[in-house]
Amino acid sequence: MTTPEAREEAVLEAVRERRERVNGAIPEELPIKRPERLYEASRYLLDAGGKRLRPTVLLATAEALADVDPLGTDYRQFPTLEGDEIDVMNAAISVEVIQSFTLIHDDIMDDDDLRRGVPAVHKEYDLETAILAGDTLYSKAFEIMLESGADADRMVDALDVLATTCTKICEGQSLDVTFEERDGVTPEEYLEMVEQKTAVLYAASACLPAILMGANDETVEALYGYGLDIGRAFQIQDDVLDLTVPSEKLGKQRGSDLVENKQTLITVHAREQGLDIVDLVDTNDVDAVTEAEIDDALAELEAVGSIDYANDKARELVEQGKDRLEVLPDNEARELLCQLADYLIERGY
Amino acid sequence: MTTPEAREEAVLEAVRERRERVNGAIPEELPIKRPERLYEASRYLLDAGGKRLRPTVLLATAEALADVDPLGTDYRQFPTLEGDEIDVMNAAISVEVIQSFTLIHDDIMDDDDLRRGVPAVHKEYDLETAILAGDTLYSKAFEIMLESGADADRMVDALDVLATTCTKICEGQSLDVTFEERDGVTPEEYLEMVEQKTAVLYAASACLPAILMGANDETVEALYGYGLDIGRAFQIQDDVLDLTVPSEKLGKQRGSDLVENKQTLITVHAREQGLDIVDLVDTNDVDAVTEAEIDDALAELEAVGSIDYANDKARELVEQGKDRLEVLPDNEARELLCQLADYLIERGY
């Protein structure tokens, strides 16, 4: 019987080991070349850090499918189910590059100053360069995927997933913007938005190795569903953490979502219970709010059951996601995918 | 013996006929759906007009390769060289969608107010929506190409061309920005920038039908070269027209490139001849410049041979491009591709 702390440490170690390999591969797949300023800006956020959760999901899924020892097989010459080899690291880099492109453009849209502890790309460089860096990463993600060396039929399916995933992320981001100007968003609508904006890239990460390695449709669909489930759970947990983690640990003001009247699963649920969400916190200024005000708001949200509702929903999605992994061979990498799912909602920040 | 006017009218009629079909297909491939505001913004510039030169090049190349009567064959069920059928209209829409995405993002970067006689997307909507509309068109271009129904091997090659083309457009745009802050750009460097920023999408338009229809490598490469040649000639002619066409016909102040110290093939050549380019026009304000000042500047540029140099270069590129069309069967569509090349440098605006 392992403690939760030991389980979390084991997951973090598994993520760390894959992150190191991913970090080593990024400069290989996205070298700084002419025009240097463009490629430096494109690499800036990728080099600034990040947990690499999506590439980790992708690599671990590949390991589970191939039924090989975790980290014991060269990702660059990875066995498929059809007897040939692919470069599964390229697929992992591709989804991380997509993630990075969306962050760069999102930061412009939200005019956020900081990301991963460093200035956002449009602050470190300028608006022009940031738009262009995002656009460059966008096509580079396709180029990098194209160099994974999969059979043409499987490659076409993989590129289809990549393209439709990008479209859905844009649709989700657009819905999110619409929600900010709208009252009466339901939990179902909120979860649909989160599915498109956040979860589809987890879904792509989980199903892409299955597609590239020649798994059957049932497996591809189950893994896509796993990604959608854990991706939504991840976002819900983010919303909970914004309220419950001390500001100094969070790296920004606790409760900033509430102050800025950002809709979350918690607030849309609370509003359905009759709570006046807009006036939960008096100020709209993150710098002016007090910890006591956030505590009061949190107590009100707890009283109408909205925190429990969000936690229950996240737990339900994680359990559903884990069940879908039954399509995979029973091995250590599958166990890691289960632990990753748990970690996404048990993590402290 | 036809007159230049009759030749131009014949080309414009051929472009017009294809444009109508392209315009009819755009709403089919890019319907307005939820989230409506996002898709309306994505369609805004496409619906505002445009000559559709790139789709016309693509469709005419397909007709020449298949050796069919111009406009006599259903683009949606178009014969390949391998006996199957593809939807070549999808490929044509795909390149136009890429073009539209780059214009939306370019207008943000340059903070241009107008495009095709209507407000730029970030002016009609807002910055957020314009970035997102461009990003949506980007992935939609891949989705639309993926639905052209080509064999997987050919499709992978086509998507590779699409992705590398987008990367080069970003690199070219980045070089263009760098040039604005740099002295001593050479004509060779300028032409390299134009190749990446503008000509590669013409090159993609010309070679994509060859790839999708199963033509051999020699044909694909020759058509790619044709596109690079006419695309560069197109941009050089644009630079000449900015100086020589009356403001009312141009739809903006004649000589605005000079006033804004934008580098063109004409100015980089003139500087190499020892002309002081920066002070050719005293003002930096497009609204303050007089026609007489532009005339004086033009006379100086003519005196050092820079206008002739640009015209000669454009003509040379067009002749080189036309020679490359020898790989195609001798038919009416190939003749149209020759006329299109001539049109690009003979057009009045």
Side-chain angles (χ1 to χ4, degrees):
Chain A
M1 191 67 189
T2 53
T3 63
E5 290 73 21
R7 276 215 316 273
E8 177 162 340
E9 189 42 48
V11 175
L12 288 177
E13 178 60 22
V15 171
R16 199 151 41 224
E17 286 167 325
R18 283 164 188 77
R19 176 166 65 233
E20 272 173 35
R21 309 232 184 153
V22 169
N23 288 350
I26 286 172
E28 293 168 19
E29 299 308 322
L30 204 65
I32 308 283
K33 55 173 193 171
R34 190 160 172 272
E36 278 77 11
R37 187 178 162 84
L38 175 63
Y39 281 97
E40 282 164 9
S42 303
R43 278 273 298 281
Y44 184 74
L45 193 55
L46 282 163
D47 291 350
K51 292 201 190 74
R52 316 292 189 215
L53 289 175
R54 295 159 195 80
T56 296
V57 166
L58 192 149
L59 295 172
T61 308
E63 289 164 333
L65 281 162
D67 207 10
V68 295
D69 281 342
L71 299 164
T73 308
D74 185 353
Y75 292 128
R76 296 296 202 178
Q77 294 177 293
F78 203 83
T80 74
L81 307 179
E82 296 186 347
D84 54 346
E85 287 179 346
I86 60 165
D87 187 336
V88 75
M89 180 56 84
N90 269 47
I93 302 289
S94 177
V95 297
E96 187 69 6
V97 165
I98 291 287
Q99 166 71 1
S100 193
F101 130 65
T102 63
L103 294 179
I104 293 173
H105 281 189
D106 280 3
D107 285 343
I108 300 172
M109 293 188 241
D110 300 338
D111 201 18
D112 282 333
D113 293 348
L114 287 175
R115 171 73 72 173
R116 291 179 179 164
V118 297
V121 176
H122 68 287
K123 296 290 177 188
E124 178 69 19
Y125 294 83
D126 50 61
L127 174 69
E128 220 166 350
T129 306
I131 292 177
L132 217 42
D135 290 346
T136 304
L137 291 173
Y138 209 150
S139 48
K140 276 288 166 189
F142 284 85
E143 287 188 53
I144 291 167
M145 183 66 80
L146 275 157
E147 279 170 21
S148 66
D151 165 76
D153 284 307
R154 296 183 246 140
M155 181 58 76
V156 167
D157 289 345
L159 293 170
D160 202 353
V161 166
L162 207 60
T164 54
T165 297
C166 292
T167 302
K168 282 182 191 147
I169 292 171
C170 293
E171 291 175 353
Q173 172 73 8
S174 176
L175 282 179
D176 197 12
V177 173
T178 317
F179 285 0
E180 282 170 25
E181 297 154 1
R182 224 192 85 190
D183 279 340
V185 174
T186 65
E188 291 69 30
E189 287 179 311
Y190 177 79
L191 284 170
E192 185 204 359
M193 182 275 288
V194 166
E195 176 176 322
Q196 296 198 313
K197 187 179 166 179
T198 305
V200 287
L201 197 54
Y202 279 95
S205 302
C207 82
L208 277 167
I211 291 170
L212 293 167
M213 290 165 66
N216 60 31
D217 291 349
E218 185 202 347
T219 304
V220 171
E221 280 162 31
L223 289 168
Y224 193 85
Y226 162 81
L228 283 188
D229 290 335
I230 68 167
R232 282 178 292 179
F234 171 81
Q235 184 61 53
I236 295 169
Q237 178 70 2
D238 250 15
D239 296 343
V240 173
L241 293 177
D242 183 75
L243 280 170
T244 55
V245 174
S247 300
E248 59 275 19
K249 195 171 172 192
L250 209 56
K252 59 174 185 175
Q253 174 60 51
R254 179 171 67 103
S256 60
D257 288 350
L258 270 190
V259 178
E260 291 165 353
N261 287 316
K262 221 178 138 244
Q263 314 227 25
T264 68
L265 187 62
I266 299 161
T267 58
V268 298
H269 175 270
R271 209 207 30 259
E272 287 204 334
Q273 313 312 310
L275 211 60
D276 178 359
I277 288 309
V278 177
D279 294 329
L280 257 185
V281 177
D282 284 335
T283 178
N284 287 319
D285 180 359
V286 176
D287 297 324
V289 76
T290 64
E291 293 291 322
E293 283 178 292
I294 302 290
D295 283 334
D296 290 347
L298 180 56
E300 287 198 67
L301 292 167
E302 275 170 341
V304 294
S306 299
I307 304 292
D308 284 345
Y309 172 79
N311 280 329
D312 290 349
K313 190 74 204 171
R315 169 53 62 197
E316 179 194 316
L317 285 167
V318 160
E319 293 307 325
Q320 180 174 294
K322 282 162 40 179
D323 284 347
R324 297 189 202 268
L325 297 179
E326 295 292 322
V327 292
L328 293 173
D330 183 5
N331 55 31
E332 210 183 318
R334 186 180 87 175
E335 184 53 30
L336 172 58
L337 290 169
C338 285
Q339 291 166 349
L340 261 169
D342 287 328
Y343 164 73
L344 291 181
I345 58 167
E346 286 169 5
R347 68 202 160 102
Y349 69 105
Chain B
M1 189 70 189
T2 52
T3 63
E5 290 73 22
R7 278 214 315 271
E8 178 162 338
E9 188 41 50
V11 176
L12 288 177
E13 177 61 22
V15 172
R16 199 150 43 225
E17 286 167 325
R18 283 164 188 78
R19 176 166 64 235
E20 272 172 34
R21 309 231 184 152
V22 169
N23 288 350
I26 287 172
E28 293 168 19
E29 299 307 322
L30 205 64
I32 308 282
K33 56 173 193 172
R34 187 158 174 274
E36 277 78 10
R37 186 177 162 85
L38 175 64
Y39 281 97
E40 282 164 10
S42 304
R43 279 273 297 281
Y44 183 74
L45 193 54
L46 282 163
D47 291 349
K51 291 200 190 74
R52 316 291 188 215
L53 288 175
R54 295 159 195 80
T56 296
V57 166
L58 192 148
L59 295 172
T61 308
E63 290 164 333
L65 281 162
D67 207 10
V68 295
D69 280 344
L71 299 163
T73 308
D74 186 352
Y75 291 129
R76 297 295 202 178
Q77 294 177 294
F78 203 82
T80 73
L81 306 179
E82 296 186 348
D84 54 346
E85 286 178 347
I86 60 164
D87 187 336
V88 75
M89 179 57 84
N90 268 48
I93 302 289
S94 177
V95 298
E96 188 69 6
V97 166
I98 292 286
Q99 166 70 1
S100 193
F101 131 63
T102 63
L103 294 179
I104 293 173
H105 281 189
D106 280 3
D107 285 344
I108 300 172
M109 293 187 241
D110 299 339
D111 200 20
D112 283 333
D113 293 348
L114 287 175
R115 171 72 71 173
R116 291 177 179 165
V118 297
V121 177
H122 68 288
K123 297 288 179 189
E124 177 69 19
Y125 295 83
D126 50 62
L127 174 69
E128 219 166 350
T129 305
I131 291 177
L132 218 42
D135 290 345
T136 304
L137 291 173
Y138 209 150
S139 48
K140 277 287 166 191
F142 283 86
E143 287 188 53
I144 291 167
M145 182 66 80
L146 274 157
E147 279 170 22
S148 67
D151 165 76
D153 284 308
R154 297 183 245 141
M155 180 58 76
V156 166
D157 289 345
L159 294 170
D160 201 352
V161 166
L162 207 60
T164 54
T165 297
C166 292
T167 302
K168 282 182 190 147
I169 292 172
C170 292
E171 291 175 354
Q173 172 74 7
S174 175
L175 282 178
D176 197 12
V177 172
T178 317
F179 285 180
E180 282 171 25
E181 297 154 5
R182 225 193 85 190
D183 280 339
V185 175
T186 65
E188 290 70 30
E189 287 179 311
Y190 177 79
L191 284 170
E192 185 205 358
M193 182 275 287
V194 166
E195 177 176 321
Q196 297 198 311
K197 187 179 166 178
T198 305
V200 286
L201 197 53
Y202 279 95
S205 302
C207 83
L208 278 167
I211 291 170
L212 293 166
M213 290 165 66
N216 60 31
D217 290 349
E218 185 203 348
T219 304
V220 171
E221 279 162 31
L223 289 167
Y224 192 84
Y226 162 81
L228 283 189
D229 290 335
I230 67 166
R232 282 179 291 180
F234 170 82
Q235 184 61 54
I236 296 169
Q237 178 70 2
D238 249 15
D239 296 344
V240 172
L241 293 177
D242 183 76
L243 280 170
T244 55
V245 174
S247 299
E248 60 274 21
K249 194 170 173 192
L250 209 55
K252 60 172 185 177
Q253 174 61 50
R254 179 170 66 104
S256 61
D257 288 349
L258 270 190
V259 177
E260 292 166 353
N261 287 316
K262 219 178 139 240
Q263 314 227 25
T264 68
L265 188 61
I266 299 161
T267 59
V268 298
H269 175 271
R271 208 207 31 259
E272 287 204 333
Q273 312 313 308
L275 211 60
D276 179 359
I277 289 307
V278 177
D279 293 329
L280 257 185
V281 178
D282 284 335
T283 178
N284 287 320
D285 181 357
V286 176
D287 297 325
V289 76
T290 65
E291 292 292 321
E293 284 178 292
I294 302 290
D295 283 334
D296 289 346
L298 180 56
E300 288 198 68
L301 291 167
E302 275 170 342
V304 294
S306 298
I307 304 291
D308 285 345
Y309 172 79
N311 281 330
D312 290 349
K313 191 73 203 172
R315 170 52 63 194
E316 180 195 315
L317 285 166
V318 160
E319 294 306 324
Q320 180 175 294
K322 281 160 43 177
D323 285 347
R324 296 190 202 268
L325 297 179
E326 295 292 322
V327 291
L328 293 173
D330 183 6
N331 55 31
E332 210 183 317
R334 186 180 87 175
E335 184 54 29
L336 171 59
L337 289 170
C338 284
Q339 291 166 348
L340 261 169
D342 286 328
Y343 164 72
L344 291 181
I345 58 168
E346 286 168 4
R347 68 203 161 100
Y349 68 105

